[in-house]
Amino acid sequence: MLTGKNYVGYELSAENTSVFESINPATEEKNEKFHIATHQEVNQAVKKAQISFLEYSAKTVEERAGFLEAIGHEILELGDELIITYCRETGLPEARAKGEMGRTIGQLNAFASYIKNENWKNSFEDKADPKRIPMPKPALLLTSIPIGPIAVFGASNFPLAFSTAGGDTASALAAGCPVVVKGHPSHPATGELVASAIIQAAKQTGMPDGVFSHLNSNNIEVGTFLVKHPKIKGVGFTGSLKAGRALYDLAAKREEPIPVFAEMGSVNPVIVSAAAMEKRGKEIAQQLAGSFNLGAGQFCTSPGIIFTVENDKLADFEKELVSANSQIDEQCMLNQGIKQAFIKVKNDFISNSNITVLSEAGDKDGNMVAGIIVKINAKNFFENNRLQEEVFGPFTMLVTCDNLEELNKAVESLQGQLTASLIAEEEEFSDLKKTVQLIQHKAGRIIFNSMPTGVEVSPAMTHGGPYPASTDSRFTSVGISAINRWLRPISFQDFPEALLP
Amino acid sequence: MLTGKNYVGYELSAENTSVFESINPATEEKNEKFHIATHQEVNQAVKKAQISFLEYSAKTVEERAGFLEAIGHEILELGDELIITYCRETGLPEARAKGEMGRTIGQLNAFASYIKNENWKNSFEDKADPKRIPMPKPALLLTSIPIGPIAVFGASNFPLAFSTAGGDTASALAAGCPVVVKGHPSHPATGELVASAIIQAAKQTGMPDGVFSHLNSNNIEVGTFLVKHPKIKGVGFTGSLKAGRALYDLAAKREEPIPVFAEMGSVNPVIVSAAAMEKRGKEIAQQLAGSFNLGAGQFCTSPGIIFTVENDKLADFEKELVSANSQIDEQCMLNQGIKQAFIKVKNDFISNSNITVLSEAGDKDGNMVAGIIVKINAKNFFENNRLQEEVFGPFTMLVTCDNLEELNKAVESLQGQLTASLIAEEEEFSDLKKTVQLIQHKAGRIIFNSMPTGVEVSPAMTHGGPYPASTDSRFTSVGISAINRWLRPISFQDFPEALLP
């Protein structure tokens, strides 16, 4: 079933003789070869997207919903082939693959059911008043319109839920925007299988050729060319700060700048109060060890910094954190590049003379890693902004503050975050009011007494936050509101019903 | 009452010996001198804004609404002094000054009344389900939070409604964001008077020092330095494409990029159908002449292009347009620079050999101008993209198309617009469906059978559009929804009521 080709609309295309292959991170064996998309294929995919836009955006919401549901159905039909391919390309366990497949289908169905009720268009009618003095008042109908063809970049860490048919694609298709996906080179076969499901669903439900394309590449050129294409009107991305910022910069320099929704991760600080540590330090340490090691630390919301205030139980808490970490099995990282980057950044941290290493045995054979825990005091933390950079992998840093005042200063010094968590007891609430007031301006989601990993797909979810967590904190990339990224308001003034599109 | 100084929070400040003065465009006499803000004054204003942000954003909505209403009251108290100053600095008639004062106060009161009902926060609660399998479902409360200190640039063409206490300032203050205004150098005295009203209102209603500052400058340095300041979190601007794009580029290059809402105007195409021309050509010509000459053509929504399809009545329509234009009195432009730019661009158009000049006597004494009308056929229009650039002033261009197909091609070739208008008859609706479908993707507001000038302040208004009409088509700068530019979503997970900010 795999061809190694690109989908340029309905057409399988392989103009390029240049190919690349992904590597099984668990076995280091090579997988299938994939043809890198040419500029001509990118142009053709965007041209088809542009042409299909008028027809696709004019489909009824029931038709678009039917398309989304059909995609979910076709993905489900891929069955074991998809799960086996996913695991072979990512080193992630089967349970994770199945969970992510369910979530991906769930997202598609959620958008399908959401758009069937046209409330999402936020339409609002302001009636005319021809007799108003001094000027008659016109009738205005406010509604929403899709912005045009969207480029979506597959994410390394969510080969299904944030890739080919993931949240960016599902929300853009739901909004009425054609999508051109630039697949992630670490899982091109997973990408092609899902792309074939989307194409199949599009044909079945009578969607125009060009509503979806899928391009392969293991270099930055294809993505760069895609984002610079004048007919692309928006970009969805999940990945590193470096790559997300590069896409943002490209888009901002275009003759017509376009919005880039890059979710670039963060260190997701967790504040553990003195009373919480005293009452349930062991339990919290276990939760933290589980959270920062989850998926080999390769989640956007992995807790990379733990703030504590000096107290009698801190030494015990450290021991429990180290102990809980040591009981977690080593895990395989997504690819060799990620493993190498992790070891390099970890070594940079460890070589900092102000840092104490609590658990260090992180570098295992091949692409395997184990959790690393380091410690620093707040004064030294303040001195070096680079200590706030995300370490992508199972890594966390305990930052010890002398008192609540210093903790608040540390919170004020933080960059933008996806999440911030507060682990505390009720008797501390009045003391912590100021901390909450400060931290709300630093993150998109503020959590009480639980871990940041696990992003609920909910209409009340914000997955995004002040820069550098994301490039546009006013939108979420998870949950139904993600559709708003691909819509703009439009007003029809004095428009006769018969002429409304 | 005028001091020529900057308001750095509550403090009047004039560190700089460099001063500038505005010029009365009607008499060419010099007005008062104003001190250009220094970098230190900019820094101090932003520092005060940043410090006041926590306190100001935590004020109750009633307190913030009281502040906005007090600003309106203080502006009203300025009375004749404000009207006389406005006219002296802009050359605009007294009726316009009074109308704009009313609109400005109306906007402040509209935001005040809007925020009193907390629906604007779009809060939504997704309840917990601790028994959910396989994972308990957390409680999520989604709400809105202000993004931080905002820089607002005064506009040349709306010294009150889009300047010191205009829509950008009112919406940002309503959202809970402190504001630093960089006043427009053409009307610094009007700016200072309004700034004094805001400061007075802030003191009266117990707002923190720093919630508002007002800086003078006649160069680009102060604005540049302000937009680059790391503590500024958003920018509001109304003006030219060149200046708006420059601010956008500055903001995009920051270490932390910030949103820029620049409303940069457009040519606001008006399509006049053959049947409409036949039935009521004279009336339409009169409306068009009035609309493109309104305020000396210095409105964002001035109709700069009129598309027509060849028909028997076209020659009559041209004559009627020229005749209606000739009956409009010459008008004073806002300043010498705008007049000179108008004459230069007009001369560029006229020197194009494909253009026929229908009314040319536009260049009058001093800063006075009269309406200019030119004509080109669609084929020649397609050849030169620069003909789509806005001519700021009383200028319009008739573009004649051979048939509806060519008209649709012309619509497809358009850049983004604030508005697009369709003047047509009911019997043409089925033929015009395609035209409407195409044009909806080109503008923020689509108008049937009336002129684009006159922007209703309504919750159903979209004032903004695809680039280059504005830098972010997903938001409006007029109407209540303008508040959304300064808010971002935030989710509180499992948060106890007592700890919510």
Side-chain angles (χ1 to χ4, degrees):
Chain A
M1 196 163 175
L2 284 173
T3 68
K5 296 183 180 179
N6 303 287
Y7 276 103
V8 176
Y10 285 170
E11 189 189 348
L12 276 167
S13 179
E15 288 181 351
N16 211 332
T17 52
S18 291
V19 294
F20 70 96
E21 56 227 331
S22 70
I23 290 167
N24 184 327
T27 64
E28 299 193 334
E29 285 165 9
K30 288 181 176 179
N31 293 318
E32 301 85 354
K33 291 190 186 343
F34 283 80
H35 292 266
I36 297 173
T38 62
H39 281 195
Q40 196 177 308
E41 284 167 329
V42 177
N43 279 336
Q44 188 60 15
V46 178
K47 191 179 170 189
K48 280 189 169 186
Q50 166 64 11
I51 291 170
S52 74
F53 177 47
L54 268 199
E55 183 181 340
Y56 182 62
S57 62
K59 292 275 181 195
T60 66
V61 288
E62 288 77 15
E63 288 170 322
R64 288 215 294 270
F67 173 35
L68 293 172
E69 287 162 350
I71 296 172
H73 182 76
E74 290 299 317
I75 291 174
L76 199 62
E77 287 285 301
L78 290 169
D80 283 350
E81 185 184 8
L82 181 61
I83 300 299
I84 292 164
T85 306
Y86 175 110
C87 295
R88 182 163 52 83
E89 291 193 314
T90 63
L92 292 169
E94 189 183 305
R96 163 72 193 273
K98 287 186 169 164
E100 205 182 320
M101 185 166 115
R103 175 173 167 175
T104 305
I105 296 169
Q107 287 176 169
L108 287 158
N109 289 336
F111 280 109
S113 97
Y114 182 62
I115 59 171
K116 282 179 196 167
N117 176 329
E118 303 213 17
N119 284 349
W120 61 276
K121 291 186 181 170
N122 286 316
S123 297
F124 177 76
E125 214 179 328
D126 196 5
K127 293 232 159 60
D129 179 1
K131 292 179 183 161
R132 191 181 64 175
I133 306 286
M135 298 274 286
K137 182 181 165 190
L140 280 167
L141 169 67
L142 176 71
T143 185
S144 297
I145 193 173
I147 58 174
I150 303 302
V152 169
F153 286 75
S156 67
N157 62 344
F158 276 93
L160 293 173
F162 285 89
S163 288
T164 315
D168 288 342
T169 298
S171 57
L173 291 177
C177 298
V179 169
V180 180
V181 167
K182 205 290 280 175
H184 196 282
S186 285
H187 45 74
T190 305
E192 190 191 322
L193 289 176
V194 175
S196 72
I198 299 175
I199 295 293
Q200 190 63 22
K203 286 180 180 170
Q204 271 169 22
T205 56
M207 296 298 138
D209 185 10
V211 69
F212 180 81
S213 290
H214 186 254
L215 305 171
N216 295 308
S217 158
N218 68 339
N219 58 41
I220 63 163
E221 209 192 319
V222 170
T224 300
F225 191 69
L226 180 61
V227 170
K228 287 162 83 170
H229 196 296
K231 297 296 182 194
I232 288 292
K233 299 298 183 188
V235 178
F237 169 87
T238 299
S240 70
L241 173 57
K242 193 180 158 194
R245 180 63 192 249
L247 293 179
Y248 174 88
D249 288 342
L250 277 176
K253 280 183 201 144
R254 289 167 44 124
E255 189 181 331
E256 176 191 347
I258 53 173
V260 172
F261 301 97
E263 190 275 87
M264 304 176 293
S266 65
V267 295
N268 304 293
V270 175
I271 297 167
V272 183
S273 79
M277 207 172 273
E278 190 171 328
K279 283 200 181 160
R280 47 193 169 100
K282 187 170 180 180
E283 182 196 334
I284 296 165
Q286 284 170 343
Q287 290 173 341
L288 276 167
S291 182
F292 90 82
N293 276 293
L294 196 68
Q298 299 167 128
F299 284 114
C300 322
T301 54
S302 188
I305 290 184
I306 303 166
F307 287 113
T308 64
V309 174
E310 286 291 352
N311 69 78
D312 295 347
K313 297 288 180 181
L314 184 55
D316 292 348
F317 176 76
E318 283 175 23
K319 275 183 211 143
E320 280 152 0
L321 188 61
V322 169
S323 161
N325 181 58
S326 69
Q327 285 158 42
I328 293 171
D329 290 341
E330 58 186 71
Q331 296 173 82
C332 184
M333 295 202 86
L334 288 163
N335 63 48
Q336 215 174 26
I338 289 176
K339 161 82 188 267
Q340 284 162 356
F342 176 66
I343 298 305
K344 188 183 170 305
V345 183
K346 174 212 73 159
N347 288 341
D348 283 352
F349 268 76
I350 289 176
S351 67
N352 181 323
S353 61
N354 293 320
I355 278 181
T356 310
V357 179
L358 302 181
S359 298
E360 201 273 322
D363 189 1
K364 305 290 185 181
D365 290 346
N367 292 316
M368 304 299 279
V369 285
I372 293 166
I373 306 168
V374 302
K375 182 184 167 182
I376 192 167
N377 69 41
K379 282 165 199 68
N380 290 322
F381 175 74
F382 293 141
E383 274 171 20
N384 188 350
N385 267 339
R386 296 206 51 188
L387 295 175
Q388 285 199 35
E389 286 173 20
E390 184 185 6
V391 183
F392 192 71
F395 176 95
T396 200
M397 177 168 63
L398 211 59
V399 179
T400 56
C401 306
D402 284 349
N403 48 44
L404 193 56
E405 202 186 336
E406 193 170 72
L407 172 71
N408 287 342
K409 196 181 150 195
V411 166
E412 276 193 282
S413 80
L414 284 173
Q415 298 181 327
Q417 307 288 337
L418 289 170
T419 72
S421 306
L422 178 62
I423 315 291
E425 296 294 318
E426 198 169 342
E427 68 257 32
E428 300 165 305
F429 282 6
S430 60
D431 291 342
L432 288 170
K433 277 263 172 193
K434 171 92 177 174
T435 310
V436 174
Q437 213 196 1
L438 290 169
I439 210 160
Q440 67 174 335
H441 293 297
K442 299 293 181 177
R445 177 164 55 113
I446 316 288
I447 303 157
F448 183 71
N449 271 352
S450 63
M451 294 298 123
T453 42
V455 181
E456 186 70 21
V457 181
S458 157
M461 175 52 70
T462 303
H463 190 63
Y467 190 89
S470 59
T471 44
D472 194 336
S473 68
R474 292 158 309 156
F475 295 88
T476 176
S477 67
V478 172
I480 283 302
S481 311
I483 196 173
N484 295 326
R485 298 175 297 168
W486 321 118
L487 296 170
R488 67 173 174 89
I490 184 169
S491 301
F492 289 93
Q493 182 171 325
D494 293 332
F495 241 67
E497 187 77 27
L499 210 50
L500 280 172
Chain B
M1 195 164 174
L2 285 172
T3 69
K5 296 183 181 179
N6 303 286
Y7 275 103
V8 177
Y10 286 170
E11 191 189 348
L12 276 166
S13 180
E15 288 181 352
N16 211 331
T17 52
S18 292
V19 293
F20 69 96
E21 55 228 332
S22 69
I23 290 169
N24 183 328
T27 64
E28 299 194 334
E29 285 165 10
K30 289 181 176 177
N31 292 317
E32 302 84 356
K33 290 187 183 355
F34 283 81
H35 292 266
I36 297 173
T38 62
H39 281 195
Q40 197 177 307
E41 284 168 329
V42 177
N43 279 335
Q44 188 60 16
V46 179
K47 191 179 170 189
K48 280 189 168 185
Q50 165 65 10
I51 291 170
S52 74
F53 176 48
L54 268 198
E55 183 181 341
Y56 182 62
S57 61
K59 292 275 181 193
T60 66
V61 287
E62 287 79 14
E63 288 170 321
R64 288 217 292 270
F67 174 34
L68 293 172
E69 287 162 349
I71 296 172
H73 182 77
E74 290 299 318
I75 290 174
L76 199 62
E77 288 285 301
L78 290 169
D80 284 350
E81 185 184 7
L82 182 60
I83 300 298
I84 292 164
T85 305
Y86 175 111
C87 295
R88 181 163 53 82
E89 290 193 314
T90 62
L92 292 169
E94 190 182 304
R96 161 72 192 272
K98 286 186 169 164
E100 204 183 319
M101 185 166 114
R103 174 171 169 178
T104 306
I105 296 169
Q107 287 175 168
L108 287 157
N109 289 336
F111 280 109
S113 98
Y114 182 63
I115 59 171
K116 282 180 195 167
N117 176 329
E118 303 213 15
N119 284 350
W120 61 276
K121 292 185 180 170
N122 286 317
S123 297
F124 177 76
E125 215 178 327
D126 195 5
K127 293 234 158 62
D129 178 2
K131 292 180 184 161
R132 191 181 63 175
I133 305 289
M135 300 275 286
K137 181 181 164 191
L140 281 168
L141 169 68
L142 176 72
T143 186
S144 297
I145 193 173
I147 59 175
I150 303 301
V152 169
F153 286 74
S156 68
N157 62 344
F158 275 92
L160 293 172
F162 285 89
S163 287
T164 315
D168 289 342
T169 298
S171 57
L173 291 176
C177 298
V179 170
V180 180
V181 168
K182 204 290 279 174
H184 196 280
S186 285
H187 46 74
T190 305
E192 191 192 322
L193 289 176
V194 175
S196 73
I198 299 175
I199 295 294
Q200 190 64 24
K203 287 180 179 170
Q204 271 169 21
T205 56
M207 297 297 138
D209 185 9
V211 70
F212 180 81
S213 288
H214 186 254
L215 305 172
N216 296 309
S217 158
N218 67 339
N219 58 42
I220 63 162
E221 209 191 318
V222 170
T224 300
F225 191 70
L226 180 61
V227 169
K228 287 163 85 169
H229 196 296
K231 298 294 184 195
I232 288 291
K233 300 297 182 187
V235 178
F237 169 87
T238 298
S240 71
L241 172 58
K242 193 178 158 197
R245 179 63 192 249
L247 292 178
Y248 175 87
D249 288 342
L250 277 175
K253 279 182 201 147
R254 289 167 45 123
E255 189 180 330
E256 177 192 346
I258 54 173
V260 172
F261 302 97
E263 190 274 87
M264 304 177 292
S266 65
V267 294
N268 304 293
V270 175
I271 296 168
V272 183
S273 78
M277 207 171 273
E278 190 171 329
K279 283 200 182 159
R280 46 192 170 100
K282 186 169 181 181
E283 183 195 334
I284 296 165
Q286 284 170 344
Q287 289 173 343
L288 276 166
S291 183
F292 90 83
N293 275 293
L294 197 68
Q298 299 167 127
F299 285 114
C300 321
T301 54
S302 189
I305 290 184
I306 303 166
F307 287 114
T308 63
V309 173
E310 286 291 351
N311 70 78
D312 295 348
K313 297 287 181 182
L314 184 54
D316 291 348
F317 176 77
E318 282 175 23
K319 275 182 212 142
E320 280 153 1
L321 188 60
V322 169
S323 158
N325 181 57
S326 70
Q327 284 158 42
I328 294 171
D329 289 341
E330 58 185 71
Q331 296 173 82
C332 185
M333 295 202 87
L334 287 162
N335 64 47
Q336 215 175 26
I338 287 176
K339 161 81 189 270
Q340 284 162 356
F342 175 67
I343 297 305
K344 187 183 170 305
V345 183
K346 174 213 72 158
N347 288 339
D348 284 353
F349 268 75
I350 289 177
S351 67
N352 181 323
S353 60
N354 294 319
I355 279 181
T356 310
V357 179
L358 303 181
S359 299
E360 202 273 322
D363 188 2
K364 305 289 184 180
D365 289 346
N367 293 314
M368 303 301 278
V369 285
I372 293 166
I373 305 168
V374 302
K375 182 183 167 182
I376 192 168
N377 70 41
K379 283 168 198 66
N380 290 323
F381 176 74
F382 293 142
E383 272 172 22
N384 187 350
N385 266 340
R386 296 204 55 188
L387 295 176
Q388 285 198 35
E389 286 173 21
E390 184 185 4
V391 183
F392 193 71
F395 176 95
T396 199
M397 177 168 63
L398 210 59
V399 179
T400 56
C401 306
D402 285 349
N403 47 43
L404 193 57
E405 201 186 337
E406 193 169 71
L407 173 72
N408 287 342
K409 196 180 151 197
V411 166
E412 274 192 286
S413 79
L414 285 172
Q415 298 181 328
Q417 306 289 337
L418 289 170
T419 72
S421 305
L422 178 62
I423 313 293
E425 296 295 317
E426 199 168 341
E427 67 258 32
E428 301 165 305
F429 282 6
S430 60
D431 291 341
L432 289 169
K433 276 262 171 192
K434 171 91 176 175
T435 310
V436 174
Q437 213 198 2
L438 290 169
I439 210 161
Q440 68 174 334
H441 292 296
K442 298 294 182 177
R445 177 164 56 112
I446 317 288
I447 303 156
F448 183 72
N449 270 353
S450 63
M451 294 298 123
T453 43
V455 182
E456 187 68 24
V457 180
S458 157
M461 175 52 69
T462 303
H463 191 63
Y467 189 89
S470 59
T471 46
D472 194 335
S473 67
R474 292 159 310 157
F475 295 88
T476 176
S477 67
V478 172
I480 283 303
S481 310
I483 196 173
N484 295 326
R485 299 175 297 168
W486 321 116
L487 296 169
R488 68 172 173 90
I490 184 169
S491 301
F492 289 93
Q493 182 170 326
D494 293 333
F495 241 68
E497 187 76 27
L499 210 49
L500 281 172

